[in-house]
């Protein structure tokens, strides 16, 4: 297996921090993952969620921690200061499975998620 380069490790680390924030229900940790102006759009079951990343923080406050969360993180594409990453997950705090696509941008030497696109799946 090919080892990850430094940039890949930095990008993966951002999404591992995201997953750990979800596992712990730690909103302050999640805020370190996202750009302050980040957006999120997607479907929670059949309901469209749209707008600010504060929707995620509100959801975590409502549902709490996800101690049994399993994730698979894959960098789909990157180019210098931007990246697209897929996060597949099982057993979030509401016991849902789903998929996220995160768009990241490197600002002042630090990777941040600027947009989250997601879909939960029926079990």
């Amino acid at each position: 297996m090919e080892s990850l380069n430094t940039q890949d490790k930095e990008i993966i680390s951002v999404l591992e921090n995201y997953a750990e924030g979800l596992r712990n229900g730690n909103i302050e940790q999640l805020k370190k993952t996202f750009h302050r102006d980040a957006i999120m759009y997607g479907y929670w079951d059949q309901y469209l969620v749209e707008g600010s990343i504060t929707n995620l923080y509100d959801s975590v406050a409502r549902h709490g921690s996800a101690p049994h969360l399993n994730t698979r993180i894959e960098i789909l594409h990157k180019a210098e200061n931007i990246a697209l990453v897929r996060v597949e997950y099982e057993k979030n705090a509401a016991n849902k499975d789903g998929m996220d696509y995160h768009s990241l941008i490197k600002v002042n030497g630090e990777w941040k998620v600027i947009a989250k696109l997601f879909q939960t799946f029926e079990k």
Side-chain angles (χ1 to χ4, degrees), residues 22 44 65-66 68-69 89-97 120:
L22 293 175
W44 183 273
S65 63
H68 302 291
L69 181 75
Y89 59 87
E90 298 170 337
K91 298 180 185 171
N92 72 9
N95 198 34
K96 295 195 177 290
D97 300 344
T120 61

Side-chain angles (χ1 to χ4, degrees), residues 31-80:
K31 287 181 177 180
K32 294 176 184 176
T33 299
F34 293 91
H35 186 277
R36 69 183 175 281
D37 297 323
I39 59 171
M40 69 180 267
Y41 284 80
Y43 282 92
W44 183 273
D45 296 331
Q46 73 274 18
Y47 302 103
L48 177 63
V49 177
E50 52 189 331
S52 169
I53 198 62
T54 58
N55 287 310
L56 173 65
Y57 309 146
D58 293 346
S59 178
V60 171
R62 186 171 43 260
H63 294 288
S65 63
H68 302 291
L69 181 75
N70 289 318
T71 60
R72 286 173 299 289
I73 301 168
E74 181 182 3
I75 297 172
L76 300 175
H77 193 75
K78 65 180 191 293
E80 268 189 74

